[in-house]
Amino acid sequence: MAVFVALGAFLMTLAGGWTAQRVTDRRHLVLGLAGGLMLGVVGLDLLPEALDAAGDEVFGVPAALLLFVAGFLLAHLVERLLAARQAAHGAEESDGRAPEVGLTAAAAMVGHSAMDGVAIGAAFQIGGGMGAAVALAVIAHDFADGFNTYTITSLYGNARRRAVAMLVADAVAPVLGAASTTLVTVPEPLLGCYLGLFGGALLYLAAAEILPEAHHEHPARPTLLCTVAGVLFIWLVVGVAQ
């Protein structure tokens, strides 16, 4: 049942990526919406779940928050190192961005989607009602995941085929994650730590890359409205899922 339900997440992820491809003539609006979706996912979904799941404090600070900051710094460090390496070797860059950063970020999105599938499988092990509620939340926000995966990969100068490949991987990931719950159980504290780390990296990409690019040489008001709409959409999804 969990794997069957995860097929809905598969389709919704592809729908999000397809939408990102079809509106390339409004790239700044796409990026503005992607930034809002990412901000909403981090602040309203990932971080609260991480704080609930991780539990323990380290020197007076919740472990999830420490890993959240670590994820932000790690994303910044990886981006700078890859960009510096490309510049040192004289390789071409896309507006100063290293394509590897886009692929790494997309790979993290794929990992997150796999964990979404694990969440569906674990919830169905608890009960049908719990499984349905979690599945609804995952399927709804997987549209944003597909949208963001394609957008991030493309933003960093990767070819369309790479962006599509990462989108397909992101769509397949929740199905595989749900199937894995028949074999493996992920400890809740470990899942919380992962969500904190991933949330920090995602916030860095939204704040330092996606949103500045969205507002570069474009009217600020429509782009800002798209960003706010993205946050409100995630808020709606989270509220419906509760």
Side-chain angles (χ1 to χ4, degrees):
M1 184 62 182
V3 175
F4 177 76
V5 171
L7 290 175
F10 171 86
L11 296 175
M12 190 63 77
T13 302
L14 292 181
W18 180 85
T19 301
Q21 293 181 61
R22 302 299 296 178
V23 292
T24 52
D25 58 332
R26 293 289 184 269
R27 184 170 179 269
H28 59 291
L29 299 180
V30 171
L31 293 175
L33 179 60
L37 291 171
M38 293 165 73
L39 176 59
V41 166
V42 171
L44 306 179
D45 186 18
L46 292 181
L47 197 53
E49 288 186 21
L51 288 169
D52 285 342
D56 295 338
E57 292 188 352
V58 178
F59 204 62
V61 178
L65 288 183
L66 287 175
L67 286 166
F68 177 78
V69 174
F72 189 99
L73 294 175
L74 180 62
H76 177 58
L77 177 63
V78 169
E79 184 195 32
R80 291 297 89 207
L81 288 176
L82 289 175
R85 189 186 69 177
Q86 274 208 333
H89 287 79
E92 292 184 359
E93 297 178 33
S94 175
D95 298 327
R97 293 185 173 88
E100 293 92 339
V101 174
L103 292 176
T104 302
M109 296 292 292
V110 172
H112 171 58
S113 292
M115 296 308 296
D116 280 345
V118 171
I120 292 176
F124 270 103
Q125 289 178 2
I126 296 173
M130 175 67 72
V134 172
L136 174 63
V138 169
I139 291 172
H141 92 249
D142 270 358
F143 179 88
D145 284 352
F147 191 98
N148 289 336
T149 298
Y150 186 88
T151 301
I152 290 172
T153 309
S154 301
L155 177 65
Y156 281 84
N158 290 285
R160 182 178 180 276
R161 61 182 177 78
R162 285 188 173 182
V164 171
M166 296 307 298
L167 172 63
V168 172
D170 191 47
V172 172
V175 180
L176 297 179
S180 72
T181 58
T182 61
L183 303 173
V184 180
T185 301
V186 179
E188 187 175 359
L190 181 61
L191 178 60
C193 290
Y194 163 78
L195 291 176
L197 185 71
F198 175 67
L202 201 62
L203 181 62
Y204 174 81
L205 292 173
E209 299 293 332
I210 303 294
L211 290 178
E213 178 66 17
H215 289 276
H216 181 61
E217 297 181 357
H218 289 292
R221 184 174 297 175
T223 307
L224 180 59
L225 289 176
C226 285
T227 302
V228 173
V231 174
L232 292 177
F233 173 75
I234 298 299
W235 186 14
L236 175 64
V237 169
V238 172
V240 169
Q242 296 301 317

